[in-house]
Amino acid sequence: MMVGYRLSPGTTIAPTIQANEELNSDTLEDMIESEAKRSSEIFELIETLARSNATVEQVARQSGRTARTLQRQFRDLALPSPDFWRLLGRARRSAKALPCRVSLAEIAYEYGYSDQAHMTREYVRWFGSSPSRLRQNKGSIVDINQPGLGNWPSEGSSELGDLF
């Protein structure tokens, strides 16, 4: 049996905890909860990238860095690039508009896609389905909006994410 723990991006745990195979799952979960350290700065940067229309350069500048420095920080923490979070956030935000009776072209425009085809390519990349198919399947939209990478709860959230 294998058990995995999903941590919020920017959260680190000591390598000794990662390598300790003798711990049972209850003990391990307690240790992770007590030892996990989340960089609130990185978490806030990811949240800003995922929830706004700002570019990576704008977010970096607001935080007093260059875009390249921001990319290095993410790489050093073994996180996906800042642009990953920005694009995933935009796709998830725009997916929330699918149940509306607005045309897909209007949704694409509103969320900064160059055109509807661009939005469709991004949806297939992120969600494995076109916007029109997702629009027909209400359950898919609910699934997309579940907490996870790029849209986890920020207030009062634990360092330890969902078990999977």
Side-chain angles (χ1 to χ4, degrees):
M1 183 172 101
M2 182 181 286
V3 176
Y5 297 90
R6 187 173 70 185
L7 304 173
S8 297
T11 302
T12 58
I13 58 172
T16 54
I17 293 173
Q18 296 175 27
N20 194 337
E21 297 174 7
E22 296 176 13
L23 295 171
N24 66 40
S25 61
D26 293 334
T27 307
L28 181 60
E29 188 172 327
D30 290 341
M31 283 185 76
I32 290 172
E33 275 289 346
S34 66
E35 298 293 323
K37 292 177 178 57
R38 181 174 76 181
S39 168
S40 59
E41 182 182 25
I42 294 294
F43 187 82
E44 288 172 21
L45 288 168
I46 291 171
E47 196 168 52
T48 301
L49 288 161
R51 295 179 189 234
S52 72
N53 290 326
T55 65
V56 173
E57 291 76 18
Q58 290 168 330
V59 171
R61 203 170 327 123
Q62 288 171 352
S63 68
R65 306 171 171 82
T66 65
R68 183 67 187 120
T69 299
L70 195 60
Q71 291 167 347
R72 279 190 211 98
Q73 284 183 298
F74 278 64
R75 183 196 64 215
D76 292 347
L77 289 169
L79 290 171
S81 72
D83 208 43
F84 170 94
W85 301 105
R86 184 184 68 79
L87 295 173
L88 176 58
R90 176 174 66 175
R92 286 189 163 190
R93 285 191 322 273
S94 64
K96 289 180 181 179
L98 290 177
C100 302
R101 295 189 181 264
V102 177
S103 74
L104 294 177
E106 289 179 73
I107 293 172
Y109 174 78
E110 182 67 30
Y111 288 92
Y113 293 100
S114 57
D115 56 24
Q116 183 178 338
H118 178 209
M119 183 174 79
T120 298
R121 285 190 304 275
E122 288 294 304
Y123 271 54
V124 170
R125 172 186 174 200
W126 291 109
F127 310 131
S129 188
S130 69
S132 57
R133 285 211 176 152
L134 289 172
R135 187 175 249 180
Q136 294 168 358
N137 184 351
K138 305 283 188 238
S140 296
I141 296 170
V142 170
D143 290 343
I144 289 168
N145 289 306
Q146 292 300 310
L149 296 176
N151 68 346
W152 55 90
S154 57
E155 292 300 316
S157 64
S158 168
E159 306 299 335
L160 182 63
D162 303 294
L163 298 177
F164 61 97

